[in-house]
Amino acid sequence: MAEFTDQGAAVLAHEDGLRIQRVVTSGTFELDGGSWDVDNNVWLIGDDREVAVVDPAHDAAPILDAVAGRTVVGIWCTHAHNDHITAAGDVREASGAPVFLHPEDRVLWDMTYDWQPDEALADGDELTVAGTSVRVIHTPGHAPGAVCFFVPALGAVLTGDTLFQGGPGATGRSYSDKPTLVASIREKLFTLPGDTVVLTGHGDSTTLAAEEVGLEDE
């Protein structure tokens, strides 16, 4: 498993040039009247020609620097908590790329933006970037429209705030539910290969096998 070092460095890569890169941005998460300082992982899936941006958070500038002139085929949102989407508008404007979001997260999206996402995500959708398929997995619980993006070619799943190193995401705020989240992880994510690398919305990576052991106590 690769170490996270330089901004925009490849975390996972295939010999044909397909890779996933990470950019870390900092800002605040705001919900239910509270505000918390957070660092967010922004993920770029692509090759030298085109890329998809996952969860553009806080600041568009370093994200666009990592895009490095490539065609952005889509801005894919794992969910619509403000800390994961606050740069979506600026990245959309700069790149012309459509924003993808599961419709059940519009209740959260509308707290940040007065315009609607361009495309609706649904469980089982197959998205394409750089000639590779990415499967959309609806995993409600942390948020009603939360999704994960499974990239079989790289053996990785991008989980947003659904699953972290150390367990499930938080469920103590509005529009979240712990039993729903745990069921999503068990029934949707743990059906994937155990050695699948989990690329999270905050913090370090893990694997599904490592987290399956910890979830036994949930």
Side-chain angles (χ1 to χ4, degrees):
M1 194 179 305
E3 293 292 331
F4 298 129
T5 53
D6 297 335
Q7 287 279 57
V11 174
L12 296 169
H14 193 275
E15 61 185 12
D16 64 2
L18 179 69
R19 58 192 181 272
I20 298 177
Q21 299 163 259
R22 184 178 85 151
V23 175
V24 179
T25 59
S26 301
T28 59
F29 166 50
E30 299 175 355
L31 188 65
D32 297 336
S35 180
W36 299 266
D37 293 333
V38 289
D39 296 329
N40 282 65
N41 295 328
V42 182
W43 301 104
L44 280 67
I45 309 170
D47 59 11
D48 291 334
R49 300 173 296 105
E50 61 182 32
V51 66
V53 175
V54 179
D55 288 354
H58 306 303
D59 183 1
I63 301 168
L64 294 170
D65 285 347
V67 167
R70 291 174 287 177
T71 299
V72 180
V73 300
I75 298 162
W76 301 348
C77 303
T78 63
H79 64 297
H81 282 145
N82 76 293
D83 60 316
H84 289 257
I85 63 170
T86 43
D90 290 340
V91 174
R92 178 179 183 254
E93 181 177 358
S95 66
V99 172
F100 291 69
L101 180 75
H102 194 286
E104 291 185 27
D105 250 32
R106 278 295 303 277
V107 65
L108 295 168
W109 177 271
D110 293 344
M111 295 178 185
T112 301
Y113 290 112
D114 60 3
W115 50 274
Q116 65 183 14
D118 303 288
E119 302 287 345
L121 295 171
D123 188 55
D125 280 354
E126 294 286 342
L127 306 176
T128 302
V129 59
T132 198
S133 180
V134 178
R135 188 197 313 165
V136 177
I137 304 172
H138 183 210
T139 53
H142 177 73
V147 302
C148 298
F149 299 107
F150 178 48
V151 190
L154 291 172
V157 61
L158 286 67
T159 58
D161 289 358
T162 290
L163 181 64
F164 292 112
Q165 183 186 75
T171 52
R173 302 185 181 97
S174 295
Y175 310 108
S176 65
D177 182 75
K178 185 173 182 177
T180 301
L181 177 59
V182 171
S184 291
I185 294 169
R186 284 184 172 143
E187 298 169 11
K188 298 287 190 69
L189 295 185
F190 289 165
T191 63
L192 303 176
D195 61 355
T196 299
V197 177
V198 178
L199 302 177
T200 63
H202 308 271
D204 294 330
S205 64
T206 182
T207 65
L208 290 177
E211 299 314 313
E212 189 167 14
V213 173
L215 200 72
E216 293 173 357
D217 296 329
E218 297 291 341

